[in-house]
Structure formats: structure tokens, C-alpha cells
Tab-separated table of all heavy atoms in Angstrom:
chain	number	residue	atom	x	y	z
A	11	LYS	N	-33.136	113.397	4.633
A	11	LYS	CA	-32.534	114.048	5.798
A	11	LYS	C	-33.555	114.946	6.510
A	11	LYS	O	-33.575	114.983	7.743
A	11	LYS	CB	-31.343	114.904	5.355
A	11	LYS	CG	-30.132	114.073	4.864
A	11	LYS	CD	-29.071	114.961	4.234
A	11	LYS	CE	-27.946	114.099	3.641
A	11	LYS	NZ	-26.961	114.925	2.907
A	12	ALA	N	-34.368	115.624	5.706
A	12	ALA	CA	-35.395	116.520	6.307
A	12	ALA	C	-36.411	115.721	7.118
A	12	ALA	O	-36.819	116.127	8.213
A	12	ALA	CB	-36.089	117.314	5.188
A	13	VAL	N	-36.853	114.583	6.551
A	13	VAL	CA	-37.844	113.755	7.228
A	13	VAL	C	-37.252	113.207	8.511
A	13	VAL	O	-37.904	113.145	9.579
A	13	VAL	CB	-38.345	112.614	6.305
A	13	VAL	CG1	-39.196	111.597	7.100
A	13	VAL	CG2	-39.189	113.229	5.193
A	14	LYS	N	-35.966	112.805	8.467
A	14	LYS	CA	-35.320	112.307	9.669
A	14	LYS	C	-35.192	113.359	10.731
A	14	LYS	O	-35.270	113.076	11.937
A	14	LYS	CB	-33.912	111.783	9.327
A	14	LYS	CG	-33.961	110.413	8.592
A	14	LYS	CD	-32.592	109.778	8.411
A	14	LYS	CE	-32.015	109.243	9.709
A	14	LYS	NZ	-32.721	108.092	10.271
A	15	ASP	N	-35.045	114.614	10.326
A	15	ASP	CA	-35.021	115.721	11.286
A	15	ASP	C	-36.357	115.909	11.932
A	15	ASP	O	-36.428	116.438	13.087
A	15	ASP	CB	-34.613	117.020	10.595
A	15	ASP	CG	-33.132	117.069	10.221
A	15	ASP	OD1	-32.370	116.287	10.786
A	15	ASP	OD2	-32.805	117.938	9.399
A	16	GLY	N	-37.428	115.436	11.284
A	16	GLY	CA	-38.785	115.666	11.847
A	16	GLY	C	-39.349	114.510	12.623
A	16	GLY	O	-40.476	114.591	13.152
A	17	THR	N	-38.657	113.370	12.686
A	17	THR	CA	-39.170	112.232	13.403
A	17	THR	C	-38.072	111.413	14.040
A	17	THR	O	-36.930	111.445	13.649
A	17	THR	CB	-39.919	111.275	12.401
A	17	THR	OG1	-40.507	110.212	13.130
A	17	THR	CG2	-39.010	110.744	11.310
A	18	ASP	N	-38.454	110.688	15.102
A	18	ASP	CA	-37.542	109.777	15.717
A	18	ASP	C	-37.841	108.325	15.266
A	18	ASP	O	-37.272	107.373	15.753
A	18	ASP	CB	-37.569	109.858	17.265
A	18	ASP	CG	-38.997	109.593	17.819
A	18	ASP	OD1	-39.896	109.300	17.038
A	18	ASP	OD2	-39.135	109.700	19.058
A	19	LYS	N	-38.781	108.192	14.305
A	19	LYS	CA	-39.145	106.880	13.778
A	19	LYS	C	-38.226	106.538	12.574
A	19	LYS	O	-37.669	107.427	11.958
A	19	LYS	CB	-40.590	106.855	13.364
A	19	LYS	CG	-41.590	107.299	14.401
A	19	LYS	CD	-41.634	106.314	15.560
A	19	LYS	CE	-42.459	106.834	16.722
A	19	LYS	NZ	-43.853	107.077	16.435
A	20	PRO	N	-38.116	105.260	12.251
A	20	PRO	CA	-37.297	104.879	11.059
A	20	PRO	C	-37.923	105.510	9.792
A	20	PRO	O	-39.119	105.638	9.706
A	20	PRO	CB	-37.416	103.348	11.010
A	20	PRO	CG	-37.726	102.950	12.387
A	20	PRO	CD	-38.591	104.039	12.958
A	21	VAL	N	-37.034	105.851	8.859
A	21	VAL	CA	-37.456	106.423	7.595
A	21	VAL	C	-37.145	105.461	6.466
A	21	VAL	O	-36.057	104.895	6.443
A	21	VAL	CB	-36.764	107.788	7.336
A	21	VAL	CG1	-37.125	108.345	5.939
A	21	VAL	CG2	-37.161	108.794	8.417
A	22	SER	N	-38.136	105.246	5.592
A	22	SER	CA	-37.886	104.346	4.447
A	22	SER	C	-38.224	105.097	3.147
A	22	SER	O	-38.827	106.178	3.164
A	22	SER	CB	-38.769	103.114	4.580
A	22	SER	OG	-40.128	103.434	4.547
A	23	VAL	N	-37.835	104.479	2.020
A	23	VAL	CA	-38.172	105.079	0.727
A	23	VAL	C	-38.694	103.980	-0.199
A	23	VAL	O	-38.278	102.820	-0.062
A	23	VAL	CB	-36.938	105.747	0.041
A	23	VAL	CG1	-36.515	107.040	0.798
A	23	VAL	CG2	-35.748	104.777	-0.014
A	24	LYS	N	-39.587	104.384	-1.097
A	24	LYS	CA	-40.096	103.478	-2.103
A	24	LYS	C	-39.811	104.140	-3.457
A	24	LYS	O	-40.203	105.301	-3.687
A	24	LYS	CB	-41.603	103.223	-1.938
A	24	LYS	CG	-42.152	102.152	-2.943
A	24	LYS	CD	-43.604	101.788	-2.567
A	24	LYS	CE	-44.055	100.612	-3.355
A	24	LYS	NZ	-44.420	100.982	-4.775
A	25	PHE	N	-39.165	103.406	-4.332
A	25	PHE	CA	-38.846	103.969	-5.635
A	25	PHE	C	-38.878	102.842	-6.681
A	25	PHE	O	-39.268	101.703	-6.407
A	25	PHE	CB	-37.482	104.699	-5.643
A	25	PHE	CG	-36.330	103.896	-5.161
A	25	PHE	CD1	-35.507	103.167	-5.981
A	25	PHE	CD2	-35.989	103.881	-3.776
A	25	PHE	CE1	-34.435	102.450	-5.532
A	25	PHE	CE2	-34.887	103.177	-3.325
A	25	PHE	CZ	-34.091	102.430	-4.186
A	26	ARG	N	-38.518	103.173	-7.908
A	26	ARG	CA	-38.536	102.256	-9.047
A	26	ARG	C	-37.176	101.914	-9.600
A	26	ARG	O	-36.142	102.426	-9.017
A	26	ARG	CB	-39.444	102.789	-10.147
A	26	ARG	CG	-40.910	102.797	-9.753
A	26	ARG	CD	-41.836	103.206	-10.891
A	26	ARG	NE	-43.205	102.954	-10.565
A	26	ARG	CZ	-44.110	102.313	-11.324
A	26	ARG	NH1	-43.714	101.957	-12.537
A	26	ARG	NH2	-45.328	102.098	-10.944
A	27	LEU	N	-37.104	101.244	-10.674
A	27	LEU	CA	-35.798	100.933	-11.295
A	27	LEU	C	-35.156	102.168	-11.912
A	27	LEU	O	-33.941	102.228	-12.041
A	27	LEU	CB	-35.942	99.858	-12.391
A	27	LEU	CG	-36.465	98.462	-11.957
A	27	LEU	CD1	-36.631	97.558	-13.174
A	27	LEU	CD2	-35.522	97.847	-10.946
A	28	GLY	N	-35.963	103.107	-12.256
A	28	GLY	CA	-35.493	104.327	-12.869
A	28	GLY	C	-36.648	105.068	-13.542
A	28	GLY	O	-37.766	104.570	-13.535
A	29	TYR	N	-36.371	106.191	-14.139
A	29	TYR	CA	-37.446	106.979	-14.804
A	29	TYR	C	-37.790	106.321	-16.169
A	29	TYR	O	-38.926	106.194	-16.519
A	29	TYR	CB	-37.002	108.398	-14.971
A	29	TYR	CG	-38.195	109.344	-15.112
A	29	TYR	CD1	-38.895	109.839	-14.012
A	29	TYR	CD2	-38.658	109.731	-16.388
A	29	TYR	CE1	-39.987	110.699	-14.177
A	29	TYR	CE2	-39.772	110.536	-16.571
A	29	TYR	CZ	-40.412	111.048	-15.449
A	29	TYR	OH	-41.521	111.848	-15.572
A	30	THR	N	-36.728	105.998	-16.919
A	30	THR	CA	-36.936	105.302	-18.187
A	30	THR	C	-35.977	104.113	-18.239
A	30	THR	O	-35.103	103.983	-17.337
A	30	THR	CB	-36.626	106.209	-19.400
A	30	THR	OG1	-35.228	106.526	-19.389
A	30	THR	CG2	-37.452	107.488	-19.338
A	31	ASN	N	-36.071	103.307	-19.287
A	31	ASN	CA	-35.153	102.152	-19.384
A	31	ASN	C	-33.702	102.601	-19.669
A	31	ASN	O	-32.787	101.840	-19.428
A	31	ASN	CB	-35.622	101.244	-20.533
A	31	ASN	CG	-35.219	99.813	-20.323
A	31	ASN	OD1	-35.274	99.295	-19.217
A	31	ASN	ND2	-34.748	99.185	-21.386
A	32	GLU	N	-33.557	103.845	-20.087
A	32	GLU	CA	-32.215	104.375	-20.343
A	32	GLU	C	-31.659	105.031	-19.072
A	32	GLU	O	-30.498	105.493	-19.059
A	32	GLU	CB	-32.244	105.426	-21.459
A	32	GLU	CG	-32.479	104.848	-22.838
A	32	GLU	CD	-33.886	104.360	-23.050
A	32	GLU	OE1	-34.842	105.048	-22.632
A	32	GLU	OE2	-34.088	103.255	-23.617
A	33	GLU	N	-32.457	105.115	-18.002
A	33	GLU	CA	-32.046	105.793	-16.741
A	33	GLU	C	-32.214	104.816	-15.578
A	33	GLU	O	-32.833	105.156	-14.571
A	33	GLU	CB	-32.895	107.028	-16.533
A	33	GLU	CG	-32.817	108.064	-17.641
A	33	GLU	CD	-33.878	109.159	-17.483
A	33	GLU	OE1	-33.637	110.126	-16.757
A	33	GLU	OE2	-34.964	109.027	-18.096
A	34	LEU	N	-31.651	103.656	-15.688
A	34	LEU	CA	-31.753	102.659	-14.607
A	34	LEU	C	-30.740	102.984	-13.503
A	34	LEU	O	-29.683	102.327	-13.411
A	34	LEU	CB	-31.578	101.259	-15.169
A	34	LEU	CG	-32.547	100.784	-16.226
A	34	LEU	CD1	-32.248	99.356	-16.670
A	34	LEU	CD2	-33.981	100.841	-15.705
A	35	ASN	N	-31.050	103.935	-12.669
A	35	ASN	CA	-30.107	104.394	-11.648
A	35	ASN	C	-30.491	103.887	-10.254
A	35	ASN	O	-30.047	104.444	-9.252
A	35	ASN	CB	-30.059	105.899	-11.646
A	35	ASN	CG	-31.387	106.573	-11.307
A	35	ASN	OD1	-32.445	105.993	-11.532
A	35	ASN	ND2	-31.345	107.772	-10.754
A	36	TYR	N	-31.258	102.802	-10.191
A	36	TYR	CA	-31.814	102.375	-8.904
A	36	TYR	C	-30.757	101.892	-7.905
A	36	TYR	O	-30.924	102.120	-6.700
A	36	TYR	CB	-32.863	101.247	-9.104
A	36	TYR	CG	-32.281	99.944	-9.674
A	36	TYR	CD1	-32.060	98.849	-8.869
A	36	TYR	CD2	-32.022	99.844	-11.053
A	36	TYR	CE1	-31.564	97.654	-9.381
A	36	TYR	CE2	-31.520	98.669	-11.571
A	36	TYR	CZ	-31.305	97.556	-10.758
A	36	TYR	OH	-30.783	96.423	-11.257
A	37	VAL	N	-29.643	101.358	-8.379
A	37	VAL	CA	-28.598	100.893	-7.438
A	37	VAL	C	-27.932	102.156	-6.779
A	37	VAL	O	-27.856	102.230	-5.562
A	37	VAL	CB	-27.551	100.026	-8.148
A	37	VAL	CG1	-26.424	99.705	-7.173
A	37	VAL	CG2	-28.202	98.739	-8.653
A	38	GLU	N	-27.466	103.079	-7.614
A	38	GLU	CA	-26.825	104.262	-7.090
A	38	GLU	C	-27.821	105.095	-6.248
A	38	GLU	O	-27.452	105.641	-5.209
A	38	GLU	CB	-26.279	105.128	-8.230
A	38	GLU	CG	-25.234	104.484	-9.110
A	38	GLU	CD	-25.829	103.577	-10.185
A	38	GLU	OE1	-27.072	103.445	-10.256
A	38	GLU	OE2	-25.043	103.004	-10.961
A	39	PHE	N	-29.072	105.112	-6.686
A	39	PHE	CA	-30.095	105.892	-5.979
A	39	PHE	C	-30.323	105.266	-4.602
A	39	PHE	O	-30.405	105.951	-3.558
A	39	PHE	CB	-31.385	105.875	-6.780
A	39	PHE	CG	-32.442	106.850	-6.270
A	39	PHE	CD1	-32.378	108.178	-6.624
A	39	PHE	CD2	-33.481	106.419	-5.476
A	39	PHE	CE1	-33.385	109.056	-6.212
A	39	PHE	CE2	-34.417	107.282	-5.008
A	39	PHE	CZ	-34.376	108.623	-5.357
A	40	GLY	N	-30.423	103.928	-4.554
A	40	GLY	CA	-30.589	103.260	-3.253
A	40	GLY	C	-29.463	103.473	-2.307
A	40	GLY	O	-29.653	103.674	-1.100
A	41	GLN	N	-28.255	103.467	-2.878
A	41	GLN	CA	-27.048	103.693	-2.023
A	41	GLN	C	-27.108	105.145	-1.459
A	41	GLN	O	-26.786	105.358	-0.278
A	41	GLN	CB	-25.758	103.535	-2.862
A	41	GLN	CG	-25.521	102.079	-3.208
A	41	GLN	CD	-24.326	101.944	-4.154
A	41	GLN	OE1	-24.151	102.719	-5.106
A	41	GLN	NE2	-23.520	100.926	-3.959
A	42	LYS	N	-27.550	106.078	-2.282
A	42	LYS	CA	-27.625	107.472	-1.837
A	42	LYS	C	-28.673	107.639	-0.751
A	42	LYS	O	-28.481	108.436	0.216
A	42	LYS	CB	-27.890	108.407	-3.016
A	42	LYS	CG	-27.598	109.861	-2.753
A	42	LYS	CD	-27.525	110.636	-4.009
A	42	LYS	CE	-27.029	112.072	-3.759
A	42	LYS	NZ	-25.639	112.135	-3.313
A	43	MET	N	-29.798	106.928	-0.897
A	43	MET	CA	-30.832	107.019	0.112
A	43	MET	C	-30.377	106.430	1.444
A	43	MET	O	-30.654	106.970	2.526
A	43	MET	CB	-32.119	106.299	-0.355
A	43	MET	CG	-32.762	106.889	-1.587
A	43	MET	SD	-33.089	108.671	-1.492
A	43	MET	CE	-31.703	109.353	-2.384
A	44	GLN	N	-29.611	105.375	1.374
A	44	GLN	CA	-29.016	104.779	2.596
A	44	GLN	C	-28.054	105.756	3.225
A	44	GLN	O	-28.101	105.925	4.478
A	44	GLN	CB	-28.309	103.458	2.216
A	44	GLN	CG	-27.615	102.810	3.405
A	44	GLN	CD	-26.917	101.507	3.106
A	44	GLN	OE1	-27.531	100.540	2.713
A	44	GLN	NE2	-25.603	101.520	3.149
A	45	GLU	N	-27.215	106.362	2.452
A	45	GLU	CA	-26.271	107.326	2.953
A	45	GLU	C	-26.954	108.483	3.631
A	45	GLU	O	-26.462	109.071	4.643
A	45	GLU	CB	-25.339	107.851	1.850
A	45	GLU	CG	-24.389	106.830	1.298
A	45	GLU	CD	-23.721	107.246	0.006
A	45	GLU	OE1	-23.910	108.441	-0.402
A	45	GLU	OE2	-23.061	106.449	-0.643
A	46	ALA	N	-28.120	108.873	3.137
A	46	ALA	CA	-28.882	109.974	3.676
A	46	ALA	C	-29.582	109.616	5.000
A	46	ALA	O	-30.043	110.482	5.752
A	46	ALA	CB	-29.910	110.484	2.682
A	47	GLY	N	-29.683	108.306	5.264
A	47	GLY	CA	-30.290	107.879	6.517
A	47	GLY	C	-31.438	106.943	6.412
A	47	GLY	O	-32.035	106.554	7.424
A	48	ALA	N	-31.847	106.598	5.198
A	48	ALA	CA	-32.973	105.626	5.063
A	48	ALA	C	-32.561	104.313	5.659
A	48	ALA	O	-31.455	103.826	5.458
A	48	ALA	CB	-33.327	105.474	3.591
A	49	GLU	N	-33.513	103.670	6.322
A	49	GLU	CA	-33.250	102.385	6.999
A	49	GLU	C	-33.948	101.207	6.359
A	49	GLU	O	-33.766	100.079	6.753
A	49	GLU	CB	-33.689	102.467	8.483
A	49	GLU	CG	-32.883	103.497	9.296
A	49	GLU	CD	-33.399	103.585	10.704
A	49	GLU	OE1	-33.446	102.545	11.392
A	49	GLU	OE2	-33.702	104.710	11.156
A	50	PHE	N	-34.689	101.465	5.274
A	50	PHE	CA	-35.512	100.418	4.652
A	50	PHE	C	-35.923	100.892	3.265
A	50	PHE	O	-36.184	102.036	3.051
A	50	PHE	CB	-36.734	100.204	5.563
A	50	PHE	CG	-37.742	99.159	5.059
A	50	PHE	CD1	-37.347	97.902	4.684
A	50	PHE	CD2	-39.084	99.430	5.077
A	50	PHE	CE1	-38.244	96.967	4.252
A	50	PHE	CE2	-40.043	98.515	4.636
A	50	PHE	CZ	-39.601	97.245	4.253
A	51	ILE	N	-35.899	99.925	2.318
A	51	ILE	CA	-36.208	100.250	0.884
A	51	ILE	C	-37.309	99.346	0.412
A	51	ILE	O	-37.251	98.101	0.642
A	51	ILE	CB	-34.958	100.102	-0.008
A	51	ILE	CG1	-33.978	101.261	0.196
A	51	ILE	CG2	-35.373	100.011	-1.484
A	51	ILE	CD1	-32.630	101.017	-0.486
A	52	THR	N	-38.275	99.855	-0.333
A	52	THR	CA	-39.167	99.051	-1.164
A	52	THR	C	-38.988	99.500	-2.589
A	52	THR	O	-39.002	100.681	-2.864
A	52	THR	CB	-40.643	99.266	-0.729
A	52	THR	OG1	-40.801	98.944	0.662
A	52	THR	CG2	-41.575	98.342	-1.544
A	53	ILE	N	-38.789	98.522	-3.481
A	53	ILE	CA	-38.533	98.892	-4.911
A	53	ILE	C	-39.523	98.172	-5.781
A	53	ILE	O	-39.680	96.944	-5.750
A	53	ILE	CB	-37.102	98.625	-5.310
A	53	ILE	CG1	-36.878	98.972	-6.808
A	53	ILE	CG2	-36.673	97.188	-5.026
A	53	ILE	CD1	-35.454	99.068	-7.252
A	54	HIS	N	-40.235	98.992	-6.626
A	54	HIS	CA	-41.115	98.451	-7.631
A	54	HIS	C	-40.257	98.148	-8.863
A	54	HIS	O	-39.595	99.068	-9.394
A	54	HIS	CB	-42.194	99.445	-7.944
A	54	HIS	CG	-43.277	98.944	-8.869
A	54	HIS	ND1	-44.603	98.983	-8.586
A	54	HIS	CD2	-43.179	98.323	-10.078
A	54	HIS	CE1	-45.313	98.442	-9.580
A	54	HIS	NE2	-44.445	98.048	-10.495
A	55	ALA	N	-40.299	96.937	-9.335
A	55	ALA	CA	-39.391	96.464	-10.361
A	55	ALA	C	-39.844	96.854	-11.779
A	55	ALA	O	-39.846	96.041	-12.697
A	55	ALA	CB	-39.141	94.998	-10.271
A	56	ARG	N	-40.256	98.110	-11.944
A	56	ARG	CA	-40.568	98.704	-13.246
A	56	ARG	C	-39.988	100.088	-13.282
A	56	ARG	O	-39.688	100.673	-12.233
A	56	ARG	CB	-42.072	98.796	-13.455
A	56	ARG	CG	-42.788	97.486	-13.757
A	56	ARG	CD	-44.259	97.763	-14.043
A	56	ARG	NE	-45.010	96.582	-14.493
A	56	ARG	CZ	-45.606	95.689	-13.655
A	56	ARG	NH1	-45.510	95.889	-12.356
A	56	ARG	NH2	-46.243	94.656	-14.146
A	57	THR	N	-39.881	100.654	-14.481
A	57	THR	CA	-39.516	102.083	-14.611
A	57	THR	C	-40.766	102.926	-14.572
A	57	THR	O	-41.898	102.431	-14.700
A	57	THR	CB	-38.808	102.340	-15.959
A	57	THR	OG1	-39.715	102.042	-17.028
A	57	THR	CG2	-37.547	101.461	-16.091
A	58	ARG	N	-40.556	104.244	-14.446
A	58	ARG	CA	-41.690	105.172	-14.514
A	58	ARG	C	-42.369	105.062	-15.867
A	58	ARG	O	-43.587	105.094	-15.979
A	58	ARG	CB	-41.256	106.566	-14.233
A	58	ARG	CG	-42.415	107.576	-14.101
A	58	ARG	CD	-42.744	108.284	-15.396
A	58	ARG	NE	-44.105	108.837	-15.317
A	58	ARG	CZ	-44.660	109.582	-16.264
A	58	ARG	NH1	-43.984	109.841	-17.372
A	58	ARG	NH2	-45.893	110.043	-16.134
């Protein structure tokens, strides 16, 4: 939201499947980023 306040350009996010294999929250996280205003996602298919 803060980045969107600072630009009129599209905002995207890049994230992973989760922090650990027990924290695979990428689906919910992606939905939350979309709700916040992200228009594009890149996802690395590994955990941190």
C-alpha cells in the first residue's frame, strides 16, 4: 500500500513458497498481496 501511494506505476511482489516447509503460506500471502493492490506476482518455487 505504501509503495502504491508513492507511484502511479504498477506494483508487483516477488516471494517464495514460505519461510520453511512447515510455513507454506504462499497462497494466502499471494491473495493478501493482491488485496493490498499488487498487480503482478513472481514466485520462486522454494522456501527460504
Side-chain angles (χ1 to χ4, degrees):
K11 292 171 184 174
V13 171
K14 286 187 72 68
D15 285 344
T17 183
D18 58 3
K19 306 294 172 63
V21 175
S22 63
V23 291
K24 185 172 189 283
F25 54 92
R26 289 185 169 229
L27 296 177
Y29 202 86
T30 66
N31 207 41
E32 290 71 43
E33 301 169 85
L34 299 181
N35 62 333
Y36 65 102
V37 174
E38 299 83 358
F39 192 83
Q41 289 173 321
K42 196 164 188 66
M43 297 308 99
Q44 177 180 295
E45 288 167 10
E49 296 177 53
F50 179 49
I51 286 170
T52 302
I53 179 166
H54 187 127
R56 286 183 174 88
T57 63
R58 186 267 162 176

